[in-house]
Amino acid sequence: MPANQEATADVDPAPQRRSLVGRTFAGLRERGQRLVRARAWRLRLFGLLAVQAGIAAAIAWFVAYQFLDNSSPVFAPTTAVGIVAAAMGSRLRRTAELLAGVVLGLAVGDTLMPLFGIGPWQTGLVVVLAIIVAILLKGGGSLLTQAGGTAVLIATLEPPVRDLSVPRFVDAAVGGLIGLAVGLLLVPIHPQRTVQRLAEPVLDPGMAAMHDLAAALRARDLGEAQRSLRRLRDLDPRLTALEEGLSAAQEVVRLAPLRWRDRTSLAFYTEAVRHLERTLHSCRSIARRLTTALKDDEPIPAELPAAIDLLADGVQTLRSSIRAREGPHKAREQILMAVEMVGRARGEAGLDPTRPHTHRLGYSGLIAVGEFRTAAHDLLIASGLDADPAAELVRRAVDQDEQD
């Protein structure tokens, strides 16, 4: 037997199999932990909505049964739950849409069902017509959904008679007001805590993607840079949820007496979060430009990925200082140091022909530097500075680098 075959035969495959099994179980355990953390986060964020919906449904059913003489209240608790479910957004606007949808569904259903009777095609026809009317009225998603859902209830749960249209609408109106009262007055959300929890799944993966981008730039790994850019783009739905959470929090501190004392602090949170959102948009532009720079084989000075790492650290430091109600001095220092580093990277793009070409920035790199300074400016505003002082600090950091 040749020597290489003997060596192959002597290799024990059992350790390799054990190693593969171990890595597989480690990956499964890590994915399981991430899933548990994600579910726990959703429970912390939306658990109160379940309580609000249960309380609103119970009160709405009781009021409709006891005071509206409705032996089978359906629309009052249904509408109350729909209003509570509209918590992450403009609740007043969605309340109006939901009630308008109920009116449309009732009108179309009570008009057509006595003529055609109850059946599958009748139900489909009523739903189609109710949603068409809502579309012609330029209604939003809530109005369309509620109009169609109410039409289904009219077509399937009630006999085709006309005399109940007003009580049904009264039921729905009472349920909507009760849902609004529970969500805004009786059990309002905690505005700051809600915004903080909505910001977590935006900032953490966003800054992790920036660190991964910096590592990709050091290794000139185009594939990893593209993956970092894709992760930043995938944050759009979470940014939308954060915007809706901000709207809900602002509505609560404006209308809920229990939360009036939070108006000042929420105003600071809102300003900070909005500029952090703008920073994330700038980070996406930075990632896009630097990915293009790698694709075009442009030079990437070492200061550029170091500055990206420092900027991402500054975001996390600023977030921690805001949550702990501490001064943002350390975060500002990190942000301005990152600006200086980017300035040094840009300064190496001089015209001296004796300097190596590998130390110069190309077209996309220069645009990324401008986006970087915009991100730093927004972060300084998020830390509590006004726009003009923040711009002055960025200019000083740039001028300091040029003097050096």
Side-chain angles (χ1 to χ4, degrees):
M1 180 181 296
N4 59 345
Q5 293 184 7
E6 292 179 359
T8 303
D10 291 339
V11 174
D12 185 5
Q16 296 180 357
R17 287 197 297 268
R18 286 195 295 267
S19 177
L20 178 61
V21 171
R23 289 196 300 270
T24 301
F25 276 108
L28 291 174
R29 183 169 58 251
E30 183 180 353
R31 285 194 291 271
Q33 291 173 349
R34 286 200 302 267
L35 182 62
V36 169
R37 287 195 296 269
R39 294 296 182 265
W41 173 81
R42 289 185 61 82
L43 183 60
R44 293 201 320 270
L45 181 61
F46 298 109
L48 181 60
L49 297 185
V51 177
Q52 290 177 335
I55 294 174
I59 296 176
W61 191 97
F62 177 79
V63 170
Y65 184 82
Q66 292 290 336
F67 299 103
L68 300 181
D69 197 23
N70 188 343
S71 60
S72 181
V74 174
F75 294 102
T78 300
T79 308
V81 172
I83 297 303
V84 171
M88 292 303 161
S90 178
R91 198 179 240 145
L92 291 177
R93 176 181 58 81
R94 294 190 184 186
T95 298
E97 287 187 352
L98 287 170
L99 291 178
V102 170
V103 172
L104 281 177
L106 290 172
V108 174
D110 282 339
T111 299
L112 296 181
M113 297 311 295
L115 299 177
F116 300 114
I118 295 176
W121 69 267
Q122 294 94 329
T123 300
L125 177 64
V126 169
V127 171
V128 169
L129 292 178
I131 294 180
I132 287 176
V133 173
I135 293 173
L136 293 177
L137 294 177
K138 297 182 179 180
S142 298
L143 191 151
L144 299 179
T145 302
Q146 193 63 37
T150 302
V152 169
L153 290 176
I154 293 295
T156 57
L157 296 182
E158 296 289 349
V161 296
R162 298 177 181 272
D163 298 336
L164 296 176
S165 59
V166 173
R168 285 168 175 168
F169 172 72
V170 172
D171 277 358
V174 168
L177 293 176
I178 290 174
L180 196 63
V182 169
L184 293 178
L185 304 177
L186 188 59
V187 193
I189 63 172
H190 193 291
Q192 297 176 12
R193 197 173 298 154
T194 299
V195 173
Q196 289 174 1
R197 289 172 178 170
L198 284 169
E200 286 178 10
V202 174
L203 295 179
D204 289 342
M207 294 308 100
M210 291 301 287
H211 283 302
D212 292 340
L213 173 66
L217 293 175
R218 292 189 183 94
R220 300 194 66 87
D221 186 340
L222 177 59
E224 185 59 36
Q226 290 173 334
R227 283 188 287 272
S228 299
L229 175 59
R230 189 161 52 248
R231 286 196 291 272
L232 288 169
R233 286 172 172 166
D234 290 342
L235 295 177
D236 279 347
R238 301 180 185 183
L239 284 170
T240 300
L242 180 57
E243 282 288 339
E244 292 180 349
L246 281 174
S247 298
Q250 290 170 334
E251 190 174 70
V252 165
V253 297
R254 186 172 66 250
L255 300 176
L258 293 177
R259 301 302 184 195
W260 283 348
R261 65 181 183 276
D262 296 324
R263 288 178 177 176
T264 302
S265 57
L266 182 67
F268 172 75
Y269 268 84
T270 300
E271 186 72 8
V273 169
R274 293 204 186 282
H275 284 281
L276 286 171
E277 288 179 337
R278 294 180 61 179
T279 299
L280 282 170
H281 288 296
S282 296
C283 287
R284 183 189 303 173
S285 298
I286 293 169
R288 183 173 65 252
R289 285 298 177 179
L290 293 180
T291 299
T292 302
L294 285 178
K295 188 181 302 182
D296 295 341
D297 200 26
E298 293 184 11
I300 305 292
E303 287 83 357
L304 199 50
I308 291 174
D309 276 331
L310 194 55
L311 186 76
D313 291 338
V315 172
Q316 296 291 28
T317 303
L318 177 60
R319 173 191 169 195
S320 299
S321 65
I322 291 176
R323 294 183 64 178
R325 301 178 183 271
E326 297 175 348
H329 307 295
K330 183 179 178 181
R332 291 175 184 172
E333 290 177 0
Q334 290 175 316
I335 295 165
L336 294 174
M337 285 177 60
V339 173
E340 291 180 14
M341 285 185 179
V342 166
R344 286 197 291 273
R346 185 183 187 280
E348 292 182 356
L351 300 177
D352 187 352
T354 64
R355 301 179 67 183
H357 179 71
T358 56
H359 291 289
R360 298 182 182 182
L361 286 172
Y363 175 75
S364 294
L366 290 173
I367 296 178
V369 166
E371 293 288 352
F372 194 99
R373 291 175 180 172
T374 300
H377 179 254
D378 284 320
L379 280 177
L380 291 174
I381 297 176
S383 72
L385 293 176
D386 291 333
D388 290 340
E392 181 62 26
L393 285 176
V394 172
R395 281 195 295 268
R396 287 180 185 176
V398 174
D399 292 340
Q400 178 66 32
D401 173 71
E402 292 177 351
Q403 294 173 6
D404 294 342

mmCIF file with all atom_site columns, all heavy atoms in Angstrom, residues 174-192:
data_model
loop_
_atom_site.group_PDB
_atom_site.id
_atom_site.type_symbol
_atom_site.label_atom_id
_atom_site.label_alt_id
_atom_site.label_comp_id
_atom_site.label_asym_id
_atom_site.label_entity_id
_atom_site.label_seq_id
_atom_site.pdbx_PDB_ins_code
_atom_site.Cartn_x
_atom_site.Cartn_y
_atom_site.Cartn_z
_atom_site.occupancy
_atom_site.B_iso_or_equiv
_atom_site.pdbx_formal_charge
_atom_site.auth_seq_id
_atom_site.auth_comp_id
_atom_site.auth_asym_id
_atom_site.auth_atom_id
_atom_site.pdbx_PDB_model_num
ATOM 1   N N   . VAL A 1 174 ? -69.555 53.286 20.051 1.00 0.00 ? 174 VAL A N   1
ATOM 2   C CA  . VAL A 1 174 ? -69.252 53.110 21.477 1.00 0.00 ? 174 VAL A CA  1
ATOM 3   C C   . VAL A 1 174 ? -67.985 52.282 21.648 1.00 0.00 ? 174 VAL A C   1
ATOM 4   O O   . VAL A 1 174 ? -67.108 52.599 22.460 1.00 0.00 ? 174 VAL A O   1
ATOM 5   C CB  . VAL A 1 174 ? -70.452 52.452 22.190 1.00 0.00 ? 174 VAL A CB  1
ATOM 6   C CG1 . VAL A 1 174 ? -70.060 51.997 23.592 1.00 0.00 ? 174 VAL A CG1 1
ATOM 7   C CG2 . VAL A 1 174 ? -71.617 53.432 22.265 1.00 0.00 ? 174 VAL A CG2 1
ATOM 8   N N   . GLY A 1 175 ? -67.865 51.206 20.876 1.00 0.00 ? 175 GLY A N   1
ATOM 9   C CA  . GLY A 1 175 ? -66.662 50.391 20.972 1.00 0.00 ? 175 GLY A CA  1
ATOM 10  C C   . GLY A 1 175 ? -65.417 51.164 20.609 1.00 0.00 ? 175 GLY A C   1
ATOM 11  O O   . GLY A 1 175 ? -64.373 51.029 21.257 1.00 0.00 ? 175 GLY A O   1
ATOM 12  N N   . GLY A 1 176 ? -65.496 51.997 19.563 1.00 0.00 ? 176 GLY A N   1
ATOM 13  C CA  . GLY A 1 176 ? -64.342 52.810 19.186 1.00 0.00 ? 176 GLY A CA  1
ATOM 14  C C   . GLY A 1 176 ? -63.943 53.782 20.267 1.00 0.00 ? 176 GLY A C   1
ATOM 15  O O   . GLY A 1 176 ? -62.749 53.951 20.568 1.00 0.00 ? 176 GLY A O   1
ATOM 16  N N   . LEU A 1 177 ? -64.913 54.443 20.875 1.00 0.00 ? 177 LEU A N   1
ATOM 17  C CA  . LEU A 1 177 ? -64.606 55.398 21.951 1.00 0.00 ? 177 LEU A CA  1
ATOM 18  C C   . LEU A 1 177 ? -64.024 54.683 23.168 1.00 0.00 ? 177 LEU A C   1
ATOM 19  O O   . LEU A 1 177 ? -63.107 55.198 23.818 1.00 0.00 ? 177 LEU A O   1
ATOM 20  C CB  . LEU A 1 177 ? -65.874 56.160 22.330 1.00 0.00 ? 177 LEU A CB  1
ATOM 21  C CG  . LEU A 1 177 ? -66.424 57.111 21.253 1.00 0.00 ? 177 LEU A CG  1
ATOM 22  C CD1 . LEU A 1 177 ? -67.741 57.734 21.713 1.00 0.00 ? 177 LEU A CD1 1
ATOM 23  C CD2 . LEU A 1 177 ? -65.400 58.197 20.938 1.00 0.00 ? 177 LEU A CD2 1
ATOM 24  N N   . ILE A 1 178 ? -64.531 53.506 23.473 1.00 0.00 ? 178 ILE A N   1
ATOM 25  C CA  . ILE A 1 178 ? -63.999 52.754 24.613 1.00 0.00 ? 178 ILE A CA  1
ATOM 26  C C   . ILE A 1 178 ? -62.562 52.306 24.330 1.00 0.00 ? 178 ILE A C   1
ATOM 27  O O   . ILE A 1 178 ? -61.685 52.411 25.194 1.00 0.00 ? 178 ILE A O   1
ATOM 28  C CB  . ILE A 1 178 ? -64.900 51.551 24.935 1.00 0.00 ? 178 ILE A CB  1
ATOM 29  C CG1 . ILE A 1 178 ? -66.228 52.041 25.517 1.00 0.00 ? 178 ILE A CG1 1
ATOM 30  C CG2 . ILE A 1 178 ? -64.205 50.588 25.896 1.00 0.00 ? 178 ILE A CG2 1
ATOM 31  C CD1 . ILE A 1 178 ? -67.244 50.947 25.733 1.00 0.00 ? 178 ILE A CD1 1
ATOM 32  N N   . GLY A 1 179 ? -62.306 51.806 23.119 1.00 0.00 ? 179 GLY A N   1
ATOM 33  C CA  . GLY A 1 179 ? -60.937 51.425 22.777 1.00 0.00 ? 179 GLY A CA  1
ATOM 34  C C   . GLY A 1 179 ? -59.994 52.594 22.847 1.00 0.00 ? 179 GLY A C   1
ATOM 35  O O   . GLY A 1 179 ? -58.857 52.482 23.335 1.00 0.00 ? 179 GLY A O   1
ATOM 36  N N   . LEU A 1 180 ? -60.452 53.765 22.389 1.00 0.00 ? 180 LEU A N   1
ATOM 37  C CA  . LEU A 1 180 ? -59.627 54.974 22.461 1.00 0.00 ? 180 LEU A CA  1
ATOM 38  C C   . LEU A 1 180 ? -59.365 55.365 23.909 1.00 0.00 ? 180 LEU A C   1
ATOM 39  O O   . LEU A 1 180 ? -58.240 55.733 24.274 1.00 0.00 ? 180 LEU A O   1
ATOM 40  C CB  . LEU A 1 180 ? -60.339 56.106 21.717 1.00 0.00 ? 180 LEU A CB  1
ATOM 41  C CG  . LEU A 1 180 ? -59.497 57.336 21.340 1.00 0.00 ? 180 LEU A CG  1
ATOM 42  C CD1 . LEU A 1 180 ? -58.398 56.951 20.373 1.00 0.00 ? 180 LEU A CD1 1
ATOM 43  C CD2 . LEU A 1 180 ? -60.401 58.408 20.743 1.00 0.00 ? 180 LEU A CD2 1
ATOM 44  N N   . ALA A 1 181 ? -60.402 55.290 24.749 1.00 0.00 ? 181 ALA A N   1
ATOM 45  C CA  . ALA A 1 181 ? -60.247 55.662 26.151 1.00 0.00 ? 181 ALA A CA  1
ATOM 46  C C   . ALA A 1 181 ? -59.306 54.720 26.888 1.00 0.00 ? 181 ALA A C   1
ATOM 47  O O   . ALA A 1 181 ? -58.463 55.155 27.685 1.00 0.00 ? 181 ALA A O   1
ATOM 48  C CB  . ALA A 1 181 ? -61.617 55.686 26.837 1.00 0.00 ? 181 ALA A CB  1
ATOM 49  N N   . VAL A 1 182 ? -59.411 53.423 26.618 1.00 0.00 ? 182 VAL A N   1
ATOM 50  C CA  . VAL A 1 182 ? -58.540 52.461 27.289 1.00 0.00 ? 182 VAL A CA  1
ATOM 51  C C   . VAL A 1 182 ? -57.090 52.681 26.865 1.00 0.00 ? 182 VAL A C   1
ATOM 52  O O   . VAL A 1 182 ? -56.171 52.686 27.686 1.00 0.00 ? 182 VAL A O   1
ATOM 53  C CB  . VAL A 1 182 ? -58.985 51.015 26.980 1.00 0.00 ? 182 VAL A CB  1
ATOM 54  C CG1 . VAL A 1 182 ? -57.934 50.022 27.449 1.00 0.00 ? 182 VAL A CG1 1
ATOM 55  C CG2 . VAL A 1 182 ? -60.311 50.729 27.662 1.00 0.00 ? 182 VAL A CG2 1
ATOM 56  N N   . GLY A 1 183 ? -56.874 52.878 25.561 1.00 0.00 ? 183 GLY A N   1
ATOM 57  C CA  . GLY A 1 183 ? -55.518 53.019 25.059 1.00 0.00 ? 183 GLY A CA  1
ATOM 58  C C   . GLY A 1 183 ? -54.851 54.322 25.428 1.00 0.00 ? 183 GLY A C   1
ATOM 59  O O   . GLY A 1 183 ? -53.629 54.374 25.570 1.00 0.00 ? 183 GLY A O   1
ATOM 60  N N   . LEU A 1 184 ? -55.636 55.388 25.583 1.00 0.00 ? 184 LEU A N   1
ATOM 61  C CA  . LEU A 1 184 ? -55.047 56.698 25.841 1.00 0.00 ? 184 LEU A CA  1
ATOM 62  C C   . LEU A 1 184 ? -55.231 57.185 27.276 1.00 0.00 ? 184 LEU A C   1
ATOM 63  O O   . LEU A 1 184 ? -54.451 58.014 27.736 1.00 0.00 ? 184 LEU A O   1
ATOM 64  C CB  . LEU A 1 184 ? -55.647 57.739 24.883 1.00 0.00 ? 184 LEU A CB  1
ATOM 65  C CG  . LEU A 1 184 ? -55.302 57.563 23.400 1.00 0.00 ? 184 LEU A CG  1
ATOM 66  C CD1 . LEU A 1 184 ? -56.006 58.631 22.576 1.00 0.00 ? 184 LEU A CD1 1
ATOM 67  C CD2 . LEU A 1 184 ? -53.796 57.621 23.176 1.00 0.00 ? 184 LEU A CD2 1
ATOM 68  N N   . LEU A 1 185 ? -56.242 56.696 27.953 1.00 0.00 ? 185 LEU A N   1
ATOM 69  C CA  . LEU A 1 185 ? -56.545 57.231 29.284 1.00 0.00 ? 185 LEU A CA  1
ATOM 70  C C   . LEU A 1 185 ? -56.366 56.208 30.392 1.00 0.00 ? 185 LEU A C   1
ATOM 71  O O   . LEU A 1 185 ? -55.733 56.487 31.410 1.00 0.00 ? 185 LEU A O   1
ATOM 72  C CB  . LEU A 1 185 ? -57.980 57.782 29.314 1.00 0.00 ? 185 LEU A CB  1
ATOM 73  C CG  . LEU A 1 185 ? -58.316 58.854 28.276 1.00 0.00 ? 185 LEU A CG  1
ATOM 74  C CD1 . LEU A 1 185 ? -59.781 59.250 28.386 1.00 0.00 ? 185 LEU A CD1 1
ATOM 75  C CD2 . LEU A 1 185 ? -57.424 60.075 28.460 1.00 0.00 ? 185 LEU A CD2 1
ATOM 76  N N   . LEU A 1 186 ? -56.927 55.014 30.206 1.00 0.00 ? 186 LEU A N   1
ATOM 77  C CA  . LEU A 1 186 ? -56.936 54.045 31.289 1.00 0.00 ? 186 LEU A CA  1
ATOM 78  C C   . LEU A 1 186 ? -55.616 53.290 31.405 1.00 0.00 ? 186 LEU A C   1
ATOM 79  O O   . LEU A 1 186 ? -55.021 53.199 32.496 1.00 0.00 ? 186 LEU A O   1
ATOM 80  C CB  . LEU A 1 186 ? -58.093 53.052 31.085 1.00 0.00 ? 186 LEU A CB  1
ATOM 81  C CG  . LEU A 1 186 ? -58.354 52.080 32.236 1.00 0.00 ? 186 LEU A CG  1
ATOM 82  C CD1 . LEU A 1 186 ? -58.676 52.843 33.509 1.00 0.00 ? 186 LEU A CD1 1
ATOM 83  C CD2 . LEU A 1 186 ? -59.499 51.126 31.875 1.00 0.00 ? 186 LEU A CD2 1
ATOM 84  N N   . VAL A 1 187 ? -55.127 52.733 30.308 1.00 0.00 ? 187 VAL A N   1
ATOM 85  C CA  . VAL A 1 187 ? -53.877 51.950 30.326 1.00 0.00 ? 187 VAL A CA  1
ATOM 86  C C   . VAL A 1 187 ? -52.976 52.435 29.187 1.00 0.00 ? 187 VAL A C   1
ATOM 87  O O   . VAL A 1 187 ? -52.743 51.708 28.209 1.00 0.00 ? 187 VAL A O   1
ATOM 88  C CB  . VAL A 1 187 ? -54.157 50.440 30.178 1.00 0.00 ? 187 VAL A CB  1
ATOM 89  C CG1 . VAL A 1 187 ? -52.899 49.635 30.518 1.00 0.00 ? 187 VAL A CG1 1
ATOM 90  C CG2 . VAL A 1 187 ? -55.314 49.998 31.052 1.00 0.00 ? 187 VAL A CG2 1
ATOM 91  N N   . PRO A 1 188 ? -52.454 53.650 29.251 1.00 0.00 ? 188 PRO A N   1
ATOM 92  C CA  . PRO A 1 188 ? -51.622 54.146 28.149 1.00 0.00 ? 188 PRO A CA  1
ATOM 93  C C   . PRO A 1 188 ? -50.246 53.491 28.141 1.00 0.00 ? 188 PRO A C   1
ATOM 94  O O   . PRO A 1 188 ? -49.743 53.041 29.172 1.00 0.00 ? 188 PRO A O   1
ATOM 95  C CB  . PRO A 1 188 ? -51.502 55.647 28.455 1.00 0.00 ? 188 PRO A CB  1
ATOM 96  C CG  . PRO A 1 188 ? -51.635 55.738 29.943 1.00 0.00 ? 188 PRO A CG  1
ATOM 97  C CD  . PRO A 1 188 ? -52.595 54.641 30.336 1.00 0.00 ? 188 PRO A CD  1
ATOM 98  N N   . ILE A 1 189 ? -49.635 53.439 26.960 1.00 0.00 ? 189 ILE A N   1
ATOM 99  C CA  . ILE A 1 189 ? -48.286 52.905 26.848 1.00 0.00 ? 189 ILE A CA  1
ATOM 100 C C   . ILE A 1 189 ? -47.297 53.860 27.521 1.00 0.00 ? 189 ILE A C   1
ATOM 101 O O   . ILE A 1 189 ? -47.577 55.046 27.707 1.00 0.00 ? 189 ILE A O   1
ATOM 102 C CB  . ILE A 1 189 ? -47.892 52.694 25.380 1.00 0.00 ? 189 ILE A CB  1
ATOM 103 C CG1 . ILE A 1 189 ? -47.871 54.037 24.631 1.00 0.00 ? 189 ILE A CG1 1
ATOM 104 C CG2 . ILE A 1 189 ? -48.787 51.699 24.702 1.00 0.00 ? 189 ILE A CG2 1
ATOM 105 C CD1 . ILE A 1 189 ? -47.301 53.953 23.234 1.00 0.00 ? 189 ILE A CD1 1
ATOM 106 N N   . HIS A 1 190 ? -46.139 53.316 27.901 1.00 0.00 ? 190 HIS A N   1
ATOM 107 C CA  . HIS A 1 190 ? -45.064 54.161 28.418 1.00 0.00 ? 190 HIS A CA  1
ATOM 108 C C   . HIS A 1 190 ? -44.295 54.698 27.205 1.00 0.00 ? 190 HIS A C   1
ATOM 109 O O   . HIS A 1 190 ? -43.632 53.934 26.497 1.00 0.00 ? 190 HIS A O   1
ATOM 110 C CB  . HIS A 1 190 ? -44.131 53.358 29.320 1.00 0.00 ? 190 HIS A CB  1
ATOM 111 C CG  . HIS A 1 190 ? -43.197 54.204 30.118 1.00 0.00 ? 190 HIS A CG  1
ATOM 112 N ND1 . HIS A 1 190 ? -42.169 54.922 29.528 1.00 0.00 ? 190 HIS A ND1 1
ATOM 113 C CD2 . HIS A 1 190 ? -43.123 54.462 31.444 1.00 0.00 ? 190 HIS A CD2 1
ATOM 114 C CE1 . HIS A 1 190 ? -41.502 55.576 30.464 1.00 0.00 ? 190 HIS A CE1 1
ATOM 115 N NE2 . HIS A 1 190 ? -42.065 55.322 31.621 1.00 0.00 ? 190 HIS A NE2 1
ATOM 116 N N   . PRO A 1 191 ? -44.353 56.006 26.934 1.00 0.00 ? 191 PRO A N   1
ATOM 117 C CA  . PRO A 1 191 ? -43.810 56.516 25.659 1.00 0.00 ? 191 PRO A CA  1
ATOM 118 C C   . PRO A 1 191 ? -42.307 56.301 25.504 1.00 0.00 ? 191 PRO A C   1
ATOM 119 O O   . PRO A 1 191 ? -41.853 55.819 24.470 1.00 0.00 ? 191 PRO A O   1
ATOM 120 C CB  . PRO A 1 191 ? -44.170 58.008 25.696 1.00 0.00 ? 191 PRO A CB  1
ATOM 121 C CG  . PRO A 1 191 ? -44.449 58.316 27.133 1.00 0.00 ? 191 PRO A CG  1
ATOM 122 C CD  . PRO A 1 191 ? -44.967 57.061 27.743 1.00 0.00 ? 191 PRO A CD  1
ATOM 123 N N   . GLN A 1 192 ? -41.524 56.636 26.528 1.00 0.00 ? 192 GLN A N   1
ATOM 124 C CA  . GLN A 1 192 ? -40.071 56.512 26.406 1.00 0.00 ? 192 GLN A CA  1
ATOM 125 C C   . GLN A 1 192 ? -39.655 55.052 26.275 1.00 0.00 ? 192 GLN A C   1
ATOM 126 O O   . GLN A 1 192 ? -38.805 54.698 25.448 1.00 0.00 ? 192 GLN A O   1
ATOM 127 C CB  . GLN A 1 192 ? -39.389 57.154 27.597 1.00 0.00 ? 192 GLN A CB  1
ATOM 128 C CG  . GLN A 1 192 ? -39.628 58.649 27.706 1.00 0.00 ? 192 GLN A CG  1
ATOM 129 C CD  . GLN A 1 192 ? -39.011 59.226 28.973 1.00 0.00 ? 192 GLN A CD  1
ATOM 130 O OE1 . GLN A 1 192 ? -38.241 58.573 29.652 1.00 0.00 ? 192 GLN A OE1 1
ATOM 131 N NE2 . GLN A 1 192 ? -39.378 60.450 29.296 1.00 0.00 ? 192 GLN A NE2 1
#
